[in-house]
Each structure stands twice: as structure tokens, then as C-alpha cells.
Amino acid sequence: MSVRVVARIRPLLNPELDKDSIVSAVSAGSEIDQPTIIRIPNPKNGGEDFSFQFNSVYDQVATQQEIFDNEVSPTIKHLFNGFDVTLFAYGVTGTGKTHTMRGGKALAERGVIPRLLSGIYRRGRKIEKDMQGETTIEVTMSYYEIYNDRVFDLFEAPEKRTMTGLQLRDNGGKTVVVGLTERPCESLKEFEKLYDHANINRSTSATKLNAHSSRSHAILCVNVAITTNDETRVSTVSAIDLAGSEDNRRTDNGKERLVESASINKSLFVLAQCVEAIGKKQARIPYRESKMTRILSLGQNNGLTIMILNLSPVRSYHLDTLSSLNFANRTKKIEVREVENEPIFKGCSRAVPTFTGASIQRQPLRPLASTVHNVSVGTTATQLATAGDKPSKAFSVFSDHSKPRQSHISSHPRRGDLSKRASPMKRPSDSHNTSRPSKLARPSSSSNSKYQPNISPATIEGIIEKKVCEILATRALDQASVGPVSEISGEVQRRLELLEQKIEGKDDGRAEGLTFLLMAKQHHVRGEESSALKMYELAKNYFPNHAKLDTKIAKLREKLAKKRETEASGGEHGHLSSLPWLQSKTPAVCDAQKIRDDPADDDEYQDVIRPVGNPNSESDDEFRFQPKIKKSHKPAMRYQVTKFDEIGPEAAPTPRTKHLLGIINTRDTAQIRLLKGVGAKKAEVIVDALCSGGDDEDDARMIASLWELGKLKGVGAKTVENMRMGLGEFT
């Protein structure tokens, strides 16, 4: 049976005119018969028409239901009889292939695929009802696309796909997709849900000729498994929506669309090559040059094949329509085989076909009558020579023509024997012309008799029972050798209970108490003694009898009490202003070194200023800090700049400080930005802060000390120190 070709002419679109229609459907007999001929004018000669005859032709007024009832519905009966069915739509882009296969949401606009599945479910329920439950029918589906010659599963989201796609393999003469998802479908409603969800993942895009152009070939495979008693027969219907060929001069495709168009046109060109090679009966058919042709395997698949040719009636598609008609005309000549799928039986292996009959000349391999191992060790070449008969070969060879070949013994020596003469350079054992012992045939009554084992079933059962008894005895000895498990000690049991409590979250709030301790430590490092004291007091509720924690709380309370007394008596900075050598210094140079207040406590620090040299000297060069020598086992300590508000604005300025304040009070951005650590942006911020004191320039504030400079917006103690140290050469 050849491929059935059905042609369909799509209706005119809104911008198309009736006068541009050039394709017509004509019936071969009377006008009431089904049209079977397509007529199209010759593009080179308008007065001449080309005629193409197909199995059926449907004009512009044909409905979806009419095409399904006449062409696709009869194949459902063959599908349940064990035959495979292949449907594919072919045509140029914009001719209605996807509309024919998929259709719309309305009931009258449903395409071939939804109607086909509806017919499968109806017939399946009827068979199950007639067989009264002895026959069960299962329907599964898989849906994938070929995009840029790569196979992608449409049940997977695009972001989960791999760049290379799925691989193709050959299995029993059929091409299968490795790793393809197969979903069961119990009803038509479940199928429509899966089908609509998968169509969202299909690659589509808009072109100049089609607003929803398919950029890939979509293949839907529906497997119908019919199980009766212990027999299962699986049939497959494949519905293929091919992407249309495109002329990039008319579609105005961009860069990405051009790549897709090149891939589509290449696969369709390979399909045309395969059809031409089949028509010419060539030895090689280029199926493997494209994944689409490898999956379609036109002419090699068994079962029914229907091609739906979609055509555009307007003149702008004249050459493309003519090319599609020529392709369909060659395709209808391809012969396909209607081979019924073999059933699968449960509980036994698949039957192997036997090759018997007068037409079969080859015979299966027979058991070898003689082998090289049959030659006894003590047999010499002389004894073998006296046997008289020539030993048979140790192997058999298939031959279509079983003609015995006589070996003629010639008296003349062969050319190869001349080169094998004894040489004086070789050893004596190699110089003798001693022939190897020939293969001796094993004595047997019949060479065609099969090997019959001498072990009876009872003997086999006895051997198995003996082996099982030995294994059981070995296991019993191994179990007896295992000593009793020693009891767990009380200490280990207590630790296990603690671990279980920690795992279950029943550790009596110890974790929360540790959290409070950590927060107290962080507050203490930042110098927030009151907050640290509160955290320690909260942690004390979880560690009631902790001596070290009580000591820390007592020290913090004592320290805070002293601090309050100092503030009440003379202010926060009274103890610093009482030092005579510190009164002549600016606050910016009072760097402090963090040292330990209590060697036993790792968490408490205070700032101590260490003068070096003459403390009464007013020279800035003689005032420097000497860091405390760190021990090797202690971590490195960082220096922290003392804030100027700890010294106060009453400190006497030095010449370097006066020069710095003079630059700042000029409000000149060009001079301020040259200071160390100050850029253009920070200089503008300083000038804006100075000018924000009043409406006029005379009312603006003047900086009289480094303490006031450090309090400006965007300026801190570290910035003031960098400015001042940058003026090191000034005296």
C-alpha cells in the first residue's frame, strides 16, 4: 500500500482578494463526486494549467469534521487491530498545518489530534464493555519537538532543557528518543490538559507571513496497549506537525529567525531527498542526515501513513505551492508495508521465528563434530598420517551454494614453499619440514544429534538442597561466633541522653543563654557597658551558679557606679584635663592603645595614653606613642583614634593646628581638597557645613578648634587626624 496523500486548500484571509486565487479543486468524474485533482496555472505560461491527482482534495469550504470523518477516523479500527498509524501535515508556512492538526478551542474548530484521541477513547470503552472486563486498554502519550535539529521534550520546561537535547537510538528497526517522558492518559479531559500544557513549551514566533509561526517540528506519539488475558498488543499513532518552509526574502526574518529558518529548510530538503531516493530505488537513502527524517522514516515504517498537504490559494504563494505539489506527487508513489505488531505474552519469553521451507537455502549452525581438543597428547604425526582419511574441519561456514570444491594436488611446488626452505642460520628444529598434527574428528554416531544431558531432575534437586543446607549451616556458625554485646556504661548513657536532648531541642534554654552571653560580649567590646550589663543579667537566669559570670556582673556594676560619680563631680573629661602634659596637645593626636585592664579577663579593655619623651615639651615632633610589646600567644591589637569630644574644645591649638584651621576657614574648595584624606566631594561637604550657619557669608560659622572640626557633617576624628598629619612639614 502506498502513502495516502490528502490535499487541503485553506480559505482566504482578510487582506487576500478572491481574484488572486489560482488554486482550484476538480473532481475526476461528476461534480458531486469527491474532488481528487488540483489545478494550478503554469507560472511561465498563464494559458496552461498543471494538474495533480491525489487520493482526496478538500477545497476552501471543507470543515475539520469532514476531513476527520473521511480520512482519519477509518484508521482507528486499524490501530486497535495492531497496526501503527502515521499522520503528518506538510506545506509552506502560513498554509494552516497547525490549524489542521491542533485546531482551535471551539468544538467545531477542533483539529485532527483532539478528534483522533476522542475516537480512541470511545472505541476503547466500547471494547472493554463488550469483552465484559476481560480486555483492558491503556493509553499513554509522549510529545516532543525538533528545534534547530535538536530534540526537546515538551513536557519539560524550557529552562530545564539541556543545550544538546535528547539523543536518538535505534531499537528493533525503530528510532527511539532516549529519556523521553511518557504520560498516562485515562480520559480525554486529562489528555487535553497535558496537550495544552505541552503546547505552551513549543517554540513559536511571529514572522511577516504568520503571526504564530511554528519554529519546530512537533511529534505526538500515542501508545494504545490492549491487554487480553496474558496477551498484550501495543500500537502507536504518530501525529507530526511539520514546520513550513520559508523564503527569507518574504518573511523579513531577523538573526535568530534566520537560524531557525535555515534548520527548518534543511530538514525539509533532506526529506525531499529521501522521497526522491525512494522513488528512484537508490541503494542509499539519506535518513540520518536530519533528525526529522530519521524519526519519520518515510517508507520504512510499518502500518498506515497519511500525508495532509496544506496549500495556499493566492498568487503570492504560486512557486511555493507548485513545489509542494511536486513533493506530494512523488510521495504518493512510496510503498509502505502493512505489518501487524506482534503480541507480547506474559510469563514467557518472546517467540523466535523459525526459518523453514523450501525457499530457505541456509541452514542453522550444527554442533561441531570435531575440535582441536580431541587430539590426544601422545598422538604423533606418523600415526595421524596412517589414519588414511582426511580429518573434517573444526568449524562450519554458511554458504548459499553448497557446491563441493575438489582440491587438486599439483606436483609443482608452490611459490610460498620456496621461501620456506631450510636456512643454515636457523636452528635445526626449525629447518626440518615437519608438519603440524592435523585435527582429529571425534567419533560420534551422528554429527547432527544434539547434546543430551545425563543429569536427571531428581539429581539436580538433590544438588540444590545440599548447597542450601551448606549455606544455612555456615550462617548458623557465623551467628554463634558473635559474642554478647556489652552493656553501656552510665557515663556513656548520660552523654547519649544529652545529645538526644540537643537534637530534639530540649536543652533547657542553654542555647538561648549562650546567645545572651555573645550579645553581652559584643556590647562590651564596643564600650556599651550598660547594655552589656543587661545582657549578662539576662544570661544569669540560664546559668544561676556561674562564679565567673557573677564576677563580670559585679565588675561592670562597679565600673558604671564610678563613671556616674565622675560625671556628677566634674564631667566626663575632668580626669583628662588635669594632666599638665595633655593640656598643650590637640585632641587629634591622642591615639590610644587597647591594653588589658584585668589580665584574667579577655573581654575588658580601656584606652591608656602612653607619652614618650618630655611631657612638658610643646613640640609636636617629641610627642609620639609607644605601643605595648605584645606577647607571642596574644592576638594583634588594633589602634583606635581617640575622639576629640573626650578632650574638649578648650585645648590650646598648636601651629600645625592653627594652619589647618586657617585652611578650613577659608572655605576654598581648591585648598581643602589638597589636604590628606580629603577629596573633591568631601571638600564640598565641609564648605556646605561651614556655610550653613547663616544666610550671609559673614554669618557663617568659624572653626576655632579641632574638636569643632571633627563635629562637622562628613568629618570625623580619623579624617581630622589625617588632615593634621598631612601638614607634617609645617613648623
Side-chain angles (χ1 to χ4, degrees):
M1 181 180 179
S2 59
V3 176
R4 182 175 179 84
V5 178
V6 179
R8 183 184 187 184
I9 305 173
R10 71 163 174 82
L12 295 173
L13 302 179
N14 292 331
E16 297 173 348
L17 301 177
D18 192 16
K19 62 180 181 180
D20 294 333
S21 181
I22 58 174
V23 182
S24 59
V26 182
S27 54
S30 60
E31 295 181 355
I32 60 174
D33 294 339
Q34 175 69 31
T36 57
I37 298 174
I38 290 286
R39 285 185 179 175
I40 184 172
N42 186 353
K44 297 181 180 180
N45 184 8
E48 181 184 1
D49 290 341
F50 289 140
S51 298
F52 298 89
Q53 186 173 6
F54 302 110
N55 297 98
S56 297
V57 175
Y58 296 90
D59 54 9
Q60 303 177 19
V61 297
T63 62
Q64 300 273 60
Q65 185 67 36
E66 183 181 353
I67 295 174
F68 174 77
D69 292 339
N70 296 337
E71 307 300 335
V72 184
S73 182
T75 62
I76 300 177
K77 178 180 64 175
H78 295 276
L79 181 67
F80 280 88
N81 290 335
F83 294 93
D84 292 340
V85 178
T86 302
L87 308 171
F88 69 97
Y90 182 89
V92 189
T93 180
T95 54
K97 298 181 298 299
T98 304
H99 177 75
T100 301
M101 299 299 290
R102 189 195 306 179
K105 291 295 182 182
L107 186 62
E109 296 297 327
R110 294 169 64 193
V112 169
I113 293 176
R115 295 175 187 271
L116 174 64
L117 266 295
S118 178
I120 290 174
Y121 285 116
R122 285 199 304 270
R123 189 173 184 86
R125 287 194 298 268
K126 182 177 181 302
I127 292 176
E128 290 180 348
K129 184 178 179 181
D130 294 342
M131 298 300 293
Q132 298 180 356
E134 296 181 0
T135 301
T136 59
I137 297 175
E138 296 179 359
V139 179
T140 58
M141 64 174 292
S142 57
Y143 198 19
Y144 58 97
E145 69 173 356
I146 305 175
Y147 177 72
N148 287 343
D149 208 33
R150 290 175 293 179
V151 180
F152 297 107
D153 192 351
L154 288 177
F155 287 128
E156 287 186 354
E159 59 269 12
K160 295 183 180 180
R161 297 176 178 177
T162 59
M163 296 298 296
T164 56
L166 303 178
Q167 303 299 320
L168 302 182
R169 296 289 183 269
D170 292 332
N171 183 18
K174 294 183 179 181
T175 303
V176 295
V177 182
V178 180
L180 188 62
T181 304
E182 189 170 325
R183 300 287 181 87
C185 303
E186 300 294 337
S187 61
L188 180 62
K189 187 175 182 180
E190 186 177 354
F191 165 77
E192 290 178 349
K193 182 179 179 181
L194 292 173
Y195 186 60
D196 293 341
H197 177 71
N199 283 324
I200 297 175
N201 298 329
R202 187 181 177 186
S203 302
T204 58
S205 182
T207 62
K208 189 176 180 180
L209 298 179
N210 191 356
H212 301 281
S213 177
S214 301
R215 315 308 298 168
S216 63
H217 309 295
I219 298 98
L220 173 68
C221 297
V222 179
N223 297 324
V224 180
I226 306 172
T227 304
T228 304
N229 297 329
D230 59 345
E231 176 183 336
T232 301
R233 191 187 302 271
V234 180
S235 304
T236 304
V237 54
S238 301
I240 305 172
D241 180 15
L242 297 179
S245 59
E246 295 181 349
D247 187 354
N248 293 317
R249 295 170 296 182
R250 298 173 56 200
T251 55
D252 291 342
N253 287 332
K255 181 179 179 181
E256 186 177 359
R257 302 286 88 79
L258 281 173
V259 175
E260 297 169 350
S261 177
S263 177
I264 293 171
N265 291 338
K266 176 193 172 184
S267 59
L268 295 176
F269 176 72
V270 174
L271 178 61
Q273 285 184 323
C274 294
V275 171
E276 186 177 2
I278 294 172
K280 294 182 179 180
K281 298 182 180 181
Q282 296 180 359
R284 179 185 178 274
I285 302 174
Y287 288 116
R288 290 181 174 268
E289 293 186 8
S290 174
K291 290 186 178 180
M292 186 268 289
T293 55
R294 186 178 175 185
I295 292 174
L296 184 58
S297 298
L298 194 62
Q300 285 192 340
N301 48 359
N302 301 328
L304 304 176
T305 303
I306 299 176
M307 171 184 172
I308 302 177
L309 176 64
N310 294 87
L311 302 173
S312 175
V314 294
R315 189 177 300 274
S316 59
Y317 286 85
H318 195 169
L319 296 179
D320 295 329
T321 302
L322 194 60
S323 176
S324 299
L325 289 170
N326 288 326
F327 172 80
N329 195 41
R330 294 192 298 267
T331 304
K332 72 178 184 181
K333 301 176 183 178
I334 297 177
E335 296 290 334
V336 293
R337 297 167 294 177
E338 293 188 22
V339 179
E340 184 179 353
N341 293 325
E342 296 182 2
I344 302 173
F345 297 95
K346 296 181 180 179
C348 62
S349 59
R350 187 175 179 179
V352 179
T354 57
F355 297 94
T356 57
S359 61
I360 305 300
Q361 296 183 359
R362 296 186 179 184
Q363 299 296 328
L365 287 174
R366 296 186 298 269
L368 299 180
S370 61
T371 59
V372 71
H373 303 288
N374 297 330
V375 182
S376 59
V377 178
T379 306
T380 60
T382 307
Q383 294 175 353
L384 293 173
T386 57
D389 297 336
K390 183 179 179 181
S392 60
K393 293 182 179 180
F395 55 89
S396 300
V397 180
F398 276 119
S399 177
D400 293 336
H401 305 285
S402 57
K403 294 181 179 180
R405 186 175 180 179
Q406 301 293 336
S407 60
H408 300 281
I409 303 175
S410 176
S411 59
H412 299 283
R414 290 179 298 177
R415 183 176 300 178
D417 296 339
L418 298 177
S419 60
K420 297 182 181 180
R421 292 182 179 179
S423 174
M425 301 299 295
K426 293 184 178 180
R427 292 180 295 175
S429 59
D430 295 339
S431 301
H432 296 289
N433 189 11
T434 305
S435 61
R436 297 178 62 185
S438 303
K439 300 173 184 177
L440 192 62
R442 176 183 294 179
S444 60
S445 58
S446 176
S447 60
N448 296 332
S449 62
K450 296 183 179 180
Y451 174 72
Q452 299 293 337
N454 297 326
I455 303 176
S456 62
T459 307
I460 295 175
E461 292 180 0
I463 294 173
I464 294 173
E465 185 176 358
K466 182 179 179 182
K467 191 68 176 177
V468 170
C469 292
E470 291 178 358
I471 295 173
L472 293 176
T474 305
R475 290 182 180 177
L477 291 174
D478 294 340
Q479 293 177 359
S481 61
V482 178
V485 181
S486 60
E487 296 183 358
I488 301 175
S489 62
E491 181 68 19
V492 176
Q493 185 67 27
R494 186 178 63 82
R495 292 185 179 181
L496 289 175
E497 291 176 357
L498 290 175
L499 288 175
E500 289 178 358
Q501 290 179 1
K502 286 185 178 181
I503 293 172
E504 295 176 0
K506 300 177 181 179
D507 52 353
D508 299 332
R510 184 180 177 87
E512 190 172 357
L514 292 175
T515 305
F516 285 129
L517 284 177
L518 179 60
M519 294 170 64
K521 220 172 231 189
Q522 293 174 351
H523 286 301
H524 204 170
V525 169
R526 291 196 293 265
E528 302 170 356
E529 286 84 0
S530 60
S531 301
L533 180 59
K534 290 180 182 179
M535 293 296 108
Y536 279 132
E537 289 175 349
L538 291 174
K540 186 179 179 181
N541 298 329
Y542 299 95
F543 306 99
N545 299 324
H546 201 284
K548 190 174 180 180
L549 180 59
D550 296 340
T551 305
K552 286 187 177 182
I553 293 173
K555 286 184 179 181
L556 279 176
R557 287 176 179 172
E558 184 180 355
K559 191 173 181 180
L560 288 174
K562 290 181 180 180
K563 188 174 181 180
R564 293 191 192 98
E565 292 176 0
T566 304
E567 292 177 355
S569 61
E572 185 181 358
H573 308 291
H575 66 287
L576 290 176
S577 60
S578 62
L579 298 177
W581 57 271
L582 187 59
Q583 293 177 357
S584 60
K585 303 302 172 187
T586 59
V589 298
C590 295
D591 289 325
Q593 181 187 13
K594 289 184 178 180
I595 63 172
R596 301 178 187 272
D597 183 31
D598 187 3
D601 192 358
D602 295 341
D603 303 324
E604 299 179 4
Y605 295 89
Q606 70 176 2
D607 297 335
V608 177
I609 303 173
R610 295 181 178 275
V612 180
N614 187 6
N616 297 323
S617 175
E618 294 184 1
S619 175
D620 294 333
D621 298 331
E622 294 180 2
F623 185 85
R624 68 179 184 275
F625 292 93
Q626 181 179 1
K628 181 182 177 181
I629 300 175
K630 299 182 292 293
K631 296 182 180 180
S632 58
H633 63 280
K634 299 297 181 181
M637 303 178 185
R638 295 178 296 179
Y639 292 94
Q640 181 178 359
V641 178
T642 305
K643 297 183 180 179
F644 291 98
D645 56 358
E646 298 178 357
I647 299 176
E650 293 84 5
T654 61
R656 187 186 307 182
T657 303
K658 293 179 180 179
H659 180 57
L660 175 60
L661 296 177
I663 295 175
I664 296 297
N665 290 325
T666 58
R667 301 183 185 86
D668 187 2
T669 309
Q671 295 184 25
I672 297 174
R673 66 184 295 183
L674 297 178
L675 295 174
K676 182 179 179 181
V678 181
K681 188 174 181 180
K682 185 172 287 189
E684 293 178 359
V685 173
I686 294 172
V687 173
D688 293 341
L690 292 173
C691 296
S692 62
D695 299 335
D696 298 332
E697 186 177 354
D698 296 336
D699 297 334
R701 58 189 296 188
M702 301 294 292
I703 303 300
S705 64
L706 295 179
W707 181 81
E708 295 181 6
L709 179 60
K711 291 298 182 180
L712 290 178
K713 181 181 178 181
V715 183
K718 189 67 177 178
T719 306
V720 174
E721 177 65 16
N722 290 336
M723 292 186 204
R724 189 176 175 281
M725 297 306 294
L727 302 174
E729 298 179 358
F730 183 84
T731 57

